[in-house]
Amino acid sequence: MKKVITYGTYDLLHVGHINLLRRAKELGDYLIVGLSTDEFNAGKHKEAYHCYEDRKMILEAVKYVDEVIPEETWEQKIKDVVDNKVDVFVMGDDWKGKFDFLKEYCEVVYLPRTAGISTTKIKSDLHG
Ligand code: C2G
């Protein structure tokens, strides 16, 4: 079974997220999402609208997602890849190059982002 992992905040789920999750799942048979905890988001200077438990429940309802684990630190990725026997690490290409250190442990794939959509854009559009 080919295992894929990706990480993110996944707040206010939108087509950019779904396009990423769909393409990530296409690279294997089992997709794990490392979901940023509210505390980890604070470190990313991000405040999610939905709390971690709600974002987790929403992601678990997405047909491409097989498992959701908490992302609590920047340093956990190597352990996650090794412990879960992950074959492929996937991120959107806004992160291109940032996780190349994982190439020792698994394949590293950066996928083109979906243009024109982001959680930030949704929030600003809604503020009118
Ligand atoms: N994404 C995308 N297209 C968009 C918006 C997001 O492909 N229009 C991708 C991002 O590149 C990322 C994933 O969707 O791979 C999740 O995006 P975010 O929730 O914004 O994740 P981020 O805050 O970048 O957290 O350790 C890595 C971090 O947790 C990534």
Side-chain angles (χ1 to χ4, degrees):
M1 178 172 63
K2 195 168 182 186
K3 297 178 85 174
V4 184
I5 197 166
T6 189
Y7 294 80
T9 301
Y10 287 96
D11 189 31
L12 301 181
L13 208 61
H14 55 67
V15 293
H17 295 139
I18 299 301
N19 283 335
L20 192 288
L21 295 169
R22 186 190 70 254
R23 288 174 293 162
K25 182 60 178 283
E26 284 166 1
L27 295 174
D29 311 295
Y30 188 89
L31 176 60
I32 302 169
V33 179
L35 184 62
S36 309
T37 60
D38 297 327
E39 297 73 20
F40 183 63
N41 272 331
K44 287 195 272 187
H45 309 296
K46 268 186 149 180
E47 188 183 352
Y49 176 80
H50 292 300
C51 68
Y52 174 79
E53 288 310 321
D54 289 357
R55 289 183 284 117
K56 181 173 187 286
M57 183 203 284
I58 293 165
L59 267 190
E60 285 172 341
V62 174
K63 66 180 180 180
Y64 305 117
V65 177
D66 297 288
E67 183 180 356
V68 178
I69 62 173
E71 179 187 32
E72 298 169 293
T73 69
W74 290 107
E75 294 75 26
Q76 72 181 74
K77 292 184 175 67
I78 293 175
K79 186 174 184 321
D80 288 347
V81 166
V82 170
D83 290 358
N84 290 282
K85 298 182 176 55
V86 167
D87 302 286
V88 190
F89 168 88
V90 176
M91 286 302 293
D93 63 4
D94 47 318
W95 292 94
K96 192 164 182 56
K98 298 286 191 306
F99 302 111
D100 288 356
F101 62 87
L102 289 169
K103 285 181 177 174
E104 274 182 69
Y105 305 94
C106 64
E107 210 184 317
V108 174
V109 176
Y110 300 103
L111 297 171
R113 276 174 71 92
T114 301
I117 184 76
S118 69
T119 302
T120 309
K121 181 177 180 341
I122 293 170
K123 286 179 178 176
S124 65
D125 288 356
L126 288 176
H127 279 304

